[in-house]
Amino acid sequence: MEVVDLSPTSRPLSPLLSTAPARRLRLLPPRCVVGLRASPRTRGLGCVGGSLSRRHSFCKNGFFATSSSSASVEPATQELGTADAVEWSGDAIRRRFLEFYAARGHKILPSSSLVPGDPTVFLTIAGMLQFKPIFLGKEPRRVPRATTSQKCIRTNDIENVGRTARHQTFFEMLGNFSFGDYFKKEATTWAWELATKEDVIQICMDCLQKGCGLVFLKMTMKHSTSGTMRLVCQRSGYRGWVQKITFGLVAQLDLVDLALKFIMISILREDHQMCCLQDLGDDSRFIEFYNLVFMQYNKKDDGSLEPLKQMNIDTGMGLERMARILQKVPNNYETDLIFPIIEKAASMAMVSYAKADDATKTNLKIIGDHMRAVVYLISDGVIPSNIGRGYVVRRLIRRVVRMGRLIGIRGDGHGNSEGAFLPSLAEVVISLSTEIDSDVESRRRSILGELQREEMRFVQTLERGEKLLAELLDEALLNAGNNGNKPSLSGKNVFLLYDTYGFPVEITAEIASEQGVTVDIEGFDIEMENQRKQSQAAHNVVRLSVGNETEIVKNIPDTEFLGYDSLSASAVIKGLLVNGNPVNEVSQGSEVEILLDRTPFYAESGGQVGDNGFLYVNGGEDRRQTTVIEINDVQKSLGNIFVHKGMIKQGSVEVGKEVDASVDAKLRQGAKAHHTATHLLQSALKSVVGSETSQAGSLVAFDHLRFDFNFHRPLSEEELTTIEALINQWIGNAAHVETKVMALQDAKNAGAIAMFGEKYGEQVRVVEVPGISLELCGGTHVSNTAEIRGFKIISEQGIASGIRRIEAVAGDAFVDYVCARDNYMRRLCLSLKVKAEDVNSRVETILEELRATRNVASSLRSKIAVLKAASLASRATTVEPQNVRIVVENMGDVDADGLKSAAEYLIDTLKDPAAVILGSSPGDGKVSLVAAFSPAIVEMGLQAGKFVSGIAKLCGGGGGGKPNFAQAGGRKPENLPDALEKARAEIVARVSGSS
């Protein structure tokens, strides 16, 4: 067996690439724990870890000495003031990593948004996600190698947050990437150098001196997605082994190896046993801190491996895990990246983290983690809601509020006992954000406002949840009494309280127990597991697959866009597609997708729709038009290839032919006017309602624009009028619109606003209306604001919690809209026989007259209903033994108000004890029901609300009310007779005592 010595004083790393056969892992040195791990994936996507400072013991304060994540230890902040701890702050580690790879030719790139452009991924869950199109060959690389610190969110293991040492929802992934440049040898060499050189981080050498080990996990893929690892450690006596630091990876990194993982191991065991597979999941003993992925093959459907055109490197190192080790703390939460948030929460709850019990510590850790997640998500434009990403934010916020209340936080920390406490915690997160995302500070006001509103909403939700729980308990007790079973809350109801109303299952169980009701914990666990599986399946996998579109366009260059300066150009057809398949020729009547070498057509991006127009093929000596192709859409594919979609109206076309491309000038002008107007709208919104508003989406069409923005309330009519007037003032000023290309960082330094959902290269196009607007934008724009002609808001509405939408028109569409409205007004004036300025007062007069007439009609209908009821009183049925008088009748087409008046008349006329159930079909497929019970009936245990609700279900509806009086409705009038018969039978049975 060959053992490769990887210590800095021994031979170089190149033997890692030797051809020695792989053998079984075994343990040689006493008390050294090593492990074997299999991976369920073909690639590691950010499994991360940490290490130690070089001057401190790995096992200090019981580090790794217990599997409990809540073991009592001193807070991290007690040691963060030392010189060594300052050296290894989270910010310092991040800088050291990035600088290490920058010195080796890597471009330091910024973190992408937590909202990915990839539609297959819910949130940004890995550092490599922003580079996925490059890895798949769908976009050209901008640099050969890069390094980043990427913000990430994962919620698939949310139940483990705070309970283990390493699980988090928000974390930073440090990574280095190669796009067809270097490969395995350089990646592993640099990773070892980073982890062991004294002038870099020197993670592992000192750890070994303190009784710890470093493991390499070699991930391989044969004909499945499983991974294997082989490792052997060599020694000649324990002390000598530790000093010599001999580690080896047996066998070569061969062609099917996919990843190399670095895992830190603590020395806990006194025996010589091998560590079993499951042991590596014990994060009290093992920390995976660096993961190297070798992208070399595309796995086909038949399981065979196809070599990629370029081999890539994707690595991940978890910043929080690294900080955990270097700062000598027992878990990620007690690092300087998270612990200040925990300290703030503890102070607001008036508890000591160091002296707190395990449950309180867990809650504090959850608060610290979740607060980072919600602040960065809101900063990236994700607003709490009940759907999509907004639901993730809402769920995390609710967990923080619940945990805060459980540990005793009351009030905002500034003297207001009824105030929200999340903003105070968010202030700490924002103060820690400077080197993570500088935009967070500028969005402070918006973040704090959103958190305050959402917390106060949830407090109300909690109150509604308490009411629902009381109703569910009453129902459980009632059903148990009727069926003779023990009262129990179903797992579905318990989950509803937990998931929708934020009730911890423990609190639900405690309240239920006080009333003698059990809780179906097994059913609840099933519901939780179903949700967890759905979450994992839908949102936590980065899919890397190469489709046949790569083959289709592999020989086609990027399209040269000429449309900023010209609406017509000659071009050569480089490819034709019919139903997604490449063809050489297409004839008249066929729909076709055309790839050109150059084009004046704008392809849909940045919210602006693609151009329309025509392609012409000219033939013969007279250059007559032999082929006409109508283009109705243009899209981008695989980076920067424009796909012109259209119909061949005349002739035929083939690959290699030259065409004359012509954009519809009128439609393009409409798009230009609306796009520049969108920029003006964003500036006006920031000016009128506050700079914290930000774009959340947009559509720039030929005849209208749509602008979505983050804001917590509807805009008032006064605000809309002010916004409209301000934009039209800017249009009237005839300001020159300037466009320029500059470095991305220069544009940001100048204050340019980035458009929502867009990705930018190192060089960006900046569109400026001097003194008014400055945005990064690749769209088409007018050269002067006067070309917009005018601007009119059509509507303003909410489309999701915290998201508003404005629709408006500009340019020719503005003129058409105003003319149409003027025509409507002329007709209205003729109908009302008034001038335009008198229309409003005339309409108000008509409405008031209509309301008065309706009131008279309603009063008459109620009187008629009472007259009908008078005749019903004489037909009341008396039920023994308590002489209860009962009326159950169908009153025809009487409306709900009339039915109510009739029931009130009857219950007063019949005297106590009496019960009245009336129904009617007032029209439009509706059913009205009412139940009125006298006091004696209510004392018998009957409740009008529950009674009429059960009857209404037979008519396809529902309802409720007070014990003595309730109304209901339905949508199946044909079922009303049967429903009333059932009501008669039930009420007679109940009051006679026969049920």
Side-chain angles (χ1 to χ4, degrees):
M1 176 182 295
E2 178 180 359
V3 177
V4 181
D5 188 350
L6 297 182
S7 68
T9 59
S10 65
R11 57 181 180 264
L13 189 62
S14 56
L16 277 173
L17 306 178
S18 70
T19 58
R23 298 196 183 180
R24 179 174 174 80
L25 166 71
R26 52 194 187 124
L27 179 64
L28 295 179
R31 303 176 65 233
C32 176
V33 180
V34 293
L36 172 67
R37 173 186 255 177
S39 171
R41 298 171 292 182
T42 59
R43 296 180 180 89
L45 289 173
C47 300
V48 291
S51 179
L52 272 190
S53 166
R54 55 178 172 270
R55 287 186 290 277
H56 294 273
S57 171
F58 190 72
C59 298
K60 184 172 182 179
N61 286 334
F63 188 25
F64 289 160
T66 174
S67 60
S68 172
S69 62
S70 300
S72 296
V73 296
E74 291 303 307
T77 50
Q78 292 189 8
E79 297 193 16
L80 292 181
T82 67
D84 181 68
V86 171
E87 178 184 357
W88 294 117
S89 70
D91 289 343
I93 298 170
R94 186 190 304 107
R95 286 195 300 270
R96 191 77 65 91
F97 182 95
L98 297 176
E99 290 168 359
F100 175 84
Y101 281 104
R104 287 152 182 79
H106 292 65
K107 176 72 174 178
I108 299 178
L109 298 178
S111 170
S112 63
S113 170
L114 288 171
V115 180
D118 185 345
T120 69
V121 183
F122 196 56
L123 291 165
T124 297
I125 60 173
M128 56 76 65
L129 193 59
Q130 65 171 302
F131 304 118
K132 178 180 170 183
I134 301 174
F135 288 140
L136 292 178
K138 293 186 175 184
E139 289 185 7
R141 69 181 191 183
R142 296 185 178 94
V143 293
R145 52 183 75 171
T147 182
T148 65
S149 179
Q150 174 64 51
K151 301 176 296 183
C152 297
I153 290 281
R154 293 184 188 175
T155 58
N156 54 318
D157 290 322
I158 190 172
E159 65 275 9
N160 291 325
V161 172
R163 292 173 171 81
T164 69
R166 61 182 174 84
H167 282 94
Q168 298 165 249
T169 56
F170 177 88
F171 58 94
E172 284 186 78
M173 186 70 77
L174 305 173
N176 57 287
F177 307 90
S178 169
F179 312 113
D181 187 16
Y182 63 84
F183 202 45
K184 295 179 181 177
K185 180 177 180 179
E186 294 85 353
T188 52
T189 301
W190 288 334
W192 178 258
E193 184 180 348
L194 175 70
T196 60
K197 282 193 67 174
E198 186 171 358
D199 59 346
V200 187
I201 294 180
Q202 198 194 1
I203 300 167
C204 307
M205 297 296 107
D206 206 54
C207 293
L208 291 169
Q209 295 169 10
K210 302 303 180 183
C212 304
L214 176 68
V215 170
F216 295 99
L217 277 78
K218 189 180 69 151
M219 308 298 294
T220 69
M221 181 178 72
K222 303 298 183 184
H223 299 290
S224 69
T225 59
S226 64
T228 62
M229 180 278 289
R230 297 171 177 85
L231 168 75
V232 69
C233 297
Q234 183 181 17
R235 65 174 281 276
S236 55
Y238 175 66
R239 186 176 302 278
W241 174 80
V242 171
Q243 292 174 351
K244 189 173 181 181
I245 316 170
T246 304
F247 293 100
L249 180 65
V250 179
Q252 76 281 13
L253 286 171
D254 57 30
L255 292 181
V256 292
D257 293 328
L258 291 179
L260 183 66
K261 293 176 181 283
F262 290 70
I263 292 189
M264 192 64 58
I265 297 178
S266 67
I267 308 303
L268 295 176
R269 301 177 61 161
E270 297 295 336
D271 56 33
H272 292 216
Q273 299 177 16
M274 281 179 46
C275 183
C276 66
L277 178 82
Q278 289 82 4
D279 286 345
L280 280 180
D282 181 358
D283 60 10
S284 68
R285 301 166 61 198
F286 303 91
I287 303 179
E288 179 186 330
F289 68 90
Y290 207 177
N291 181 17
L292 314 183
V293 178
F294 312 125
M295 294 185 181
Q296 191 168 354
Y297 292 95
N298 177 45
K299 187 177 182 181
K300 293 184 175 181
D301 293 337
D302 61 5
S304 62
L305 300 180
E306 177 186 49
L308 298 176
K309 288 196 298 184
Q310 69 175 33
M311 293 181 289
N312 306 306
I313 292 293
D314 158 29
T315 79
M317 174 184 284
L319 176 61
E320 290 80 6
R321 297 194 189 190
M322 184 63 69
R324 165 189 173 185
I325 305 302
L326 296 176
Q327 295 175 13
K328 315 173 303 300
V329 292
N331 54 66
N332 297 2
Y333 311 101
E334 294 182 35
T335 67
D336 69 332
L337 297 165
I338 305 176
F339 197 73
I341 310 165
I342 292 176
E343 280 194 309
K344 178 65 175 177
S347 69
M348 294 182 73
M350 301 181 70
V351 299
S352 166
Y353 178 83
K355 298 177 181 178
D357 57 30
D358 287 355
T360 300
K361 283 185 178 180
T362 296
N363 292 337
L364 285 167
K365 292 171 186 174
I366 293 172
I367 291 171
D369 169 81
H370 287 11
M371 282 305 303
R372 293 210 305 167
V374 298
V375 165
Y376 285 100
L377 281 167
I378 293 173
S379 177
D380 280 351
V382 184
I383 303 302
S385 69
N386 287 328
I387 58 173
R389 298 180 182 97
Y391 179 72
V392 173
V393 178
R394 174 158 287 171
R395 183 185 179 197
L396 293 174
I397 288 175
R398 289 180 174 184
R399 290 195 97 213
V400 174
V401 174
R402 284 194 293 110
M403 299 306 170
R405 291 166 72 94
L406 284 174
I407 66 174
I409 297 180
R410 295 292 183 269
D412 60 4
H414 301 289
N416 181 2
S417 61
E418 300 298 323
F421 69 87
L422 295 186
S424 294
L425 298 179
E427 290 277 11
V428 181
V429 181
I430 295 171
S431 70
L432 298 170
S433 70
T434 306
E435 294 197 30
I436 304 173
D437 184 350
S438 59
D439 291 333
V440 175
E441 174 61 43
S442 64
R443 296 165 184 157
R444 172 189 295 266
R445 182 177 173 186
S446 175
I447 294 168
L448 299 182
E450 197 60 52
L451 287 171
Q452 181 186 31
R453 288 186 292 273
E454 184 62 18
E455 180 178 347
M456 299 314 293
R457 287 192 200 106
F458 182 47
V459 170
Q460 297 173 357
T461 302
L462 276 174
E463 293 171 356
R464 291 197 298 271
E466 291 169 345
K467 181 180 179 181
L468 175 61
L469 176 57
E471 293 176 357
L472 291 172
L473 291 173
D474 287 344
E475 185 176 341
L477 291 166
L478 179 63
N479 291 337
N482 293 335
N483 302 328
N485 299 324
K486 290 184 177 181
S488 176
L489 279 183
S490 70
K492 286 189 176 181
N493 283 335
V494 177
F495 180 76
L496 172 69
L497 287 163
Y498 171 83
D499 194 52
T500 303
Y501 295 94
F503 266 66
V505 64
E506 297 84 2
I507 292 180
T508 300
E510 182 180 349
I511 296 174
S513 177
E514 291 173 357
Q515 298 196 33
V517 179
T518 62
V519 169
D520 179 11
I521 297 297
E522 184 177 343
F524 171 80
D525 290 339
I526 292 173
E527 295 294 326
M528 284 288 291
E529 180 65 15
N530 290 338
Q531 185 196 60
R532 186 188 67 80
K533 288 180 178 178
Q534 292 171 2
S535 176
Q536 286 181 324
H539 306 315
N540 291 284
V541 177
V542 180
R543 304 189 184 279
L544 281 174
S545 59
V546 181
N548 61 0
E549 58 184 354
T550 305
E551 281 296 311
I552 292 173
V553 300
K554 65 181 179 181
N555 296 319
I556 296 177
D558 287 348
T559 309
E560 180 186 0
F561 179 58
L562 310 171
Y564 290 136
D565 304 313
S566 176
L567 296 182
S568 61
S570 61
V572 175
I573 297 177
K574 292 295 185 179
L576 296 171
L577 301 174
V578 175
N579 295 325
N581 298 312
V583 296
N584 290 322
E585 185 175 1
V586 188
S587 57
Q588 181 174 329
S590 299
E591 292 185 350
V592 64
E593 296 178 341
I594 302 174
L595 313 179
L596 303 176
D597 63 337
R598 58 208 299 262
T599 183
F601 284 81
Y602 183 83
E604 181 176 321
S605 62
Q608 181 176 331
V609 298
D611 279 329
N612 289 188
F614 289 89
L615 300 180
Y616 302 102
V617 178
N618 300 318
E621 295 181 358
D622 57 356
R623 300 286 293 170
R624 290 182 298 104
Q625 292 179 358
T626 59
T627 301
V628 177
I629 308 165
E630 183 178 9
I631 302 299
N632 50 44
D633 189 21
V634 184
Q635 297 287 331
K636 283 185 181 180
S637 178
L638 296 178
N640 205 36
I641 295 175
F642 287 33
V643 181
H644 304 72
K645 301 182 178 185
M647 170 75 74
I648 300 181
K649 296 293 187 180
Q650 174 185 320
S652 63
V653 65
E654 59 185 271
V655 175
K657 283 286 187 180
E658 184 176 295
V659 298
D660 290 333
S662 179
V663 174
D664 187 314
K666 182 176 176 62
L667 294 181
R668 167 67 79 81
Q669 183 62 27
K672 289 165 63 176
H674 284 103
H675 206 150
T676 306
T678 300
H679 287 209
L680 298 181
L681 174 57
Q682 176 153 229
S683 294
L685 279 166
K686 289 180 177 294
S687 174
V688 174
V689 301
S691 59
E692 71 273 15
T693 60
S694 60
Q695 181 178 342
S698 69
L699 170 68
V700 176
F702 304 126
D703 58 354
H704 73 285
L705 68 85
R706 190 176 68 210
F707 188 82
D708 299 340
F709 59 101
N710 299 316
F711 204 57
H712 59 279
R713 61 170 175 80
L715 300 188
S716 66
E717 284 298 320
E718 182 180 356
E719 288 170 328
L720 291 172
T721 300
T722 302
I723 290 168
E724 213 171 63
L726 186 56
I727 294 172
N728 282 309
Q729 176 185 327
W730 291 335
I731 293 171
N733 290 343
H736 181 66
V737 179
E738 302 174 358
T739 60
K740 63 188 77 172
V741 176
M742 62 174 67
L744 175 60
Q745 193 56 51
D746 291 342
K748 288 185 175 181
N749 293 342
I753 298 174
M755 298 293 284
F756 177 83
E758 285 296 286
K759 295 168 64 177
Y760 300 98
E762 291 188 39
Q763 296 292 311
V764 294
R765 186 168 181 263
V766 178
V767 178
E768 180 179 14
V769 182
I772 299 172
S773 171
L774 183 67
E775 296 194 20
L776 307 183
C777 183
T780 62
H781 290 268
V782 298
S783 58
N784 189 290
T785 58
E787 295 178 42
I788 301 175
R789 304 180 70 181
F791 177 88
K792 183 67 180 176
I793 294 175
I794 298 173
S795 67
E796 189 274 339
Q797 60 182 329
I799 59 171
S801 177
I803 304 291
R804 309 296 301 175
R805 170 173 291 173
I806 286 178
E807 295 194 59
V809 290
D812 289 349
F814 163 78
V815 176
D816 293 341
Y817 181 86
V818 171
C819 289
R821 293 304 180 275
D822 183 65
N823 188 38
Y824 299 151
M825 179 59 74
R826 288 173 183 269
R827 293 180 183 179
L828 188 60
C829 290
L830 288 173
S831 299
L832 297 177
K833 296 181 174 56
V834 295
K835 297 179 180 179
E837 57 267 29
D838 297 328
V839 166
N840 190 55
S841 60
R842 178 63 180 134
V843 169
E844 287 182 353
T845 300
I846 292 174
L847 289 175
E848 184 58 38
E849 292 172 353
L850 180 60
R851 281 191 290 269
T853 302
R854 285 177 173 172
N855 289 337
V856 171
S858 178
S859 176
L860 290 173
R861 284 193 295 269
S862 295
K863 290 178 180 179
I864 293 172
V866 170
L867 290 174
K868 288 183 178 181
S871 64
L872 295 176
S874 61
R875 304 201 323 241
T877 302
T878 301
V879 179
E880 300 294 341
Q882 301 187 43
N883 295 324
V884 178
R885 306 194 69 190
I886 295 175
V887 173
V888 181
E889 293 290 343
N890 186 337
M891 297 195 68
D893 61 355
V894 173
D895 64 11
D897 289 337
L899 208 64
K900 178 175 180 289
S901 298
E904 290 171 342
Y905 171 81
L906 283 169
I907 205 69
D908 289 339
T909 301
L910 296 174
K911 306 300 181 183
D912 199 13
V916 176
I917 299 99
L918 303 177
S920 68
S921 304
D924 296 327
K926 294 180 180 180
V927 172
S928 291
L929 290 163
V930 64
F933 294 166
S934 68
I937 302 298
V938 175
E939 289 177 3
M940 293 180 188
L942 279 78
Q943 295 188 14
K946 290 185 177 181
F947 187 89
V948 79
S949 176
I951 302 303
K953 289 179 180 178
L954 300 176
C955 297
K962 299 177 180 180
N964 66 320
F965 195 93
Q967 290 179 282
R971 285 288 181 181
K972 295 180 179 179
E974 64 275 13
N975 293 350
L976 181 59
D978 291 341
L980 291 175
E981 282 303 315
K982 180 177 176 59
R984 183 189 304 277
E986 285 193 8
I987 193 67
V988 168
R990 295 291 296 275
V991 301
S992 65
S994 60
S995 66

